[in-house]
Amino acid sequence: MPTETPLLLRHHRPFLAFWLARIFTASGFQMLTVAIGWNLYQLTGNVLDLGLVGLVEFAPRVLFMLHTGHVADRYDRRRVAALCQTLQALIALSLAVGSLTNQVSREMIFILAFLLGGARSFEMPTTQALLPSIVPAALFPRAVAAAQSAQQLATIVAPAIGGLLYAFGSVWVYGPTVALYVVSCLLMLNLPARQTSLNKGKATLDSLLAGIRFIRSRPDILGAISLDLFAVLLGGATALLPVFAKDILLTGAWGLGLLRSAPAVGALLMSLWLARFPVERKVGRVMFTAVGLFGVATIAFGLSTSFWFSLAVLVVLGAADMISMVIRASFVQLETPDEMRGRVSAVNGLFIGASNQLGEFESGLTAHWFGTVPAVVLGGIGTLVVTGTWMKLFPTLANRDRMHERQPETA
């Protein structure tokens, strides 16, 4: 069976369409992120603005968290995802037009970042809830790793391409991004229709809060997603990469693209390994070890003054983060009923968004207060503290042996 399963997954046509859609939409987002960050830093030269972009992009996740999950459970998930990708294409088109007419401003970037965050706040839980209905349950852990390999492949290639294209002008980044989102939209619409019945209930407060109640009733799930929240919130340094590229490592936009790609190199290699050899035993200890390694790599990156050593450390950081992500995503989705996967994914998406976008704001703020290098080093130390604390707070998660342990049902 271990040699047959990957073959079945590769020949599963709906998953292949989903996989390609992930490549295109992730490529579009990564190219947008590189261009927006570099464009904004050129306009203002203010490191705090880089953090504010993350905060603005994260805000819709909080504002619409309860509704995004309900939309994913009530409406056709393919069409919801396609609509979100269409909106992102329009955002990229607006930036392209603004670049051609020299109308891109700090305020315009913040407004479009908010809209981008709004589109992604609906897209993320929808696509997360969509995947389990595409592949059989037996293939799902491998499908999660394979889907992540698609995203990481895009994250490796797209930022580097975005950085290189930006040398010719920002419109050379924004223009191709529009096409990437359009192709992703078409692929998403061609996925098979949902097999289970739609949740046609009204968006009552009780139904909207169902995802939160479900997560609270599962200590292992609560511990895993909150560990990711606080560990990456403190240890993430993505928003500060333009500062490291320009002022510390002394590279240009091409160097920024490579720095952004480096974590994805490690994540891609690890996702390919996990798709072939999934973690099956001692998953709790493996996850906590990976998060601890993430913190150590963050500290090493903050202290580095060598461009190539920084790239190597970021590769390790990305590989460690991928292990934690695959373990968390697999058992969260498999232990959630399909009719409420959207709402649970929305809550999980809030945690992920907080660890990324809100983490970018935290990085920008602490860099503004203490300096860029101290901010990253302190963040890595904070990740190690969180890892040790969570092992004490969630002992069943730390000692969890298998990915698919059944949890007792709650009334």
Side-chain angles (χ1 to χ4, degrees):
M1 288 299 296
T3 59
E4 185 182 7
T5 301
L7 181 63
L8 292 174
L9 187 59
R10 288 197 301 267
H11 286 79
H12 199 278
R13 297 184 67 177
F15 176 76
L16 289 178
F18 181 88
W19 190 82
L20 289 172
R22 287 291 295 270
I23 285 184
F24 290 123
T25 191
S27 297
F29 176 70
Q30 290 298 326
M31 290 174 67
L32 268 182
T33 301
V34 169
I36 288 174
W38 196 262
N39 202 342
L40 182 62
Y41 197 52
Q42 281 186 323
L43 285 172
T44 69
N46 189 346
V47 66
L48 184 58
D49 282 343
L50 298 176
L52 288 174
V53 167
L55 180 63
V56 169
E57 189 178 330
F58 171 73
R61 293 186 186 274
V62 178
L63 295 176
F64 308 130
M65 179 193 72
L66 297 176
H67 295 282
T68 56
H70 190 82
V71 167
D73 286 335
R74 186 173 184 181
Y75 301 101
D76 189 330
R77 290 168 180 163
R78 301 170 304 166
R79 294 181 180 179
V80 173
L83 181 61
C84 294
Q85 290 155 6
T86 300
L87 176 57
Q88 291 172 81
L90 293 175
I91 291 170
L93 180 62
S94 299
L95 287 166
V97 173
S99 297
L100 286 173
T101 58
N102 293 319
Q103 296 297 316
V104 175
S105 65
R106 177 178 180 270
E107 292 72 20
M108 176 183 179
I109 289 177
F110 281 133
I111 292 172
L112 293 179
F114 180 84
L115 295 176
L116 180 64
R120 286 176 58 80
S121 68
F122 281 89
E123 181 187 19
M124 179 177 289
T126 302
T127 54
Q128 285 182 347
L130 185 62
L131 182 56
S133 64
I134 294 176
V135 298
L139 293 178
F140 186 69
R142 287 180 169 86
V144 170
Q148 285 300 316
S149 74
Q151 179 152 339
Q152 299 308 323
L153 178 62
T155 307
I156 293 169
V157 177
I161 293 176
L164 291 173
L165 289 177
Y166 198 93
F168 299 98
S170 57
V171 69
W172 288 91
V173 184
Y174 297 132
T177 301
V178 177
L180 290 172
Y181 278 120
V182 170
V183 173
S184 178
C185 175
L186 295 175
L187 286 169
M188 195 63 64
L189 289 174
N190 282 314
L191 290 176
R194 185 175 179 177
Q195 299 300 314
T196 57
S197 59
L198 297 173
N199 175 13
K200 297 182 179 180
K202 294 182 179 180
T204 64
L205 181 61
D206 184 68
S207 68
L208 294 175
L209 295 175
I212 295 176
R213 290 198 303 270
F214 180 86
I215 291 174
R216 289 184 60 187
S217 70
R218 267 68 172 183
D220 284 3
I221 295 178
L222 175 61
I225 63 176
S226 60
L227 171 68
D228 176 77
L229 165 64
F230 290 105
V232 180
L233 173 65
L234 295 174
T238 303
L240 301 179
L241 289 182
V243 184
F244 275 91
K246 185 174 185 293
D247 300 331
I248 297 175
L249 302 176
L250 306 179
T251 68
W254 67 271
L256 173 61
L258 292 178
L259 288 173
R260 288 195 65 91
S261 298
V265 172
L268 174 62
L269 295 175
M270 182 56 65
S271 64
L272 293 174
W273 176 269
L274 293 175
R276 187 70 175 86
F277 304 103
V279 178
E280 296 180 346
R281 302 299 300 271
K282 299 182 179 179
V283 295
R285 292 187 180 277
V286 171
M287 184 178 67
F288 276 103
T289 300
V291 176
L293 182 59
F294 178 91
V296 172
T298 300
I299 295 172
F301 173 76
L303 295 174
S304 173
T305 56
S306 165
F307 177 73
W308 299 110
F309 179 75
S310 296
L311 287 178
V313 169
L314 288 175
V315 169
V316 174
L317 182 149
D321 189 44
M322 177 55 60
I323 296 173
S324 171
M325 193 289 303
V326 169
I327 293 175
R328 181 180 68 254
S330 296
F331 75 78
V332 168
Q333 290 294 330
L334 287 174
E335 294 186 5
T336 304
D338 182 72
E339 64 271 12
M340 62 181 300
R341 279 194 177 119
R343 282 164 287 178
V344 171
S345 295
V347 179
N348 190 28
L350 177 65
F351 279 72
I352 294 173
S355 65
N356 292 318
Q357 278 75 46
L358 193 56
E360 291 180 6
F361 173 70
E362 181 271 339
S363 296
L365 188 61
T366 54
H368 181 71
W369 286 344
F370 308 117
T372 302
V373 171
V376 174
V377 173
L378 289 174
I381 294 173
T383 296
L384 295 177
V385 172
V386 168
T387 302
T389 303
W390 256 239
M391 292 182 72
K392 297 292 185 181
L393 293 176
F394 300 93
T396 59
L397 176 61
N399 296 318
R400 187 183 182 96
D401 184 46
R402 294 185 179 275
M403 188 82 71
H404 311 303
E405 293 177 359
R406 292 186 178 276
Q407 301 293 333
E409 295 293 332
T410 58

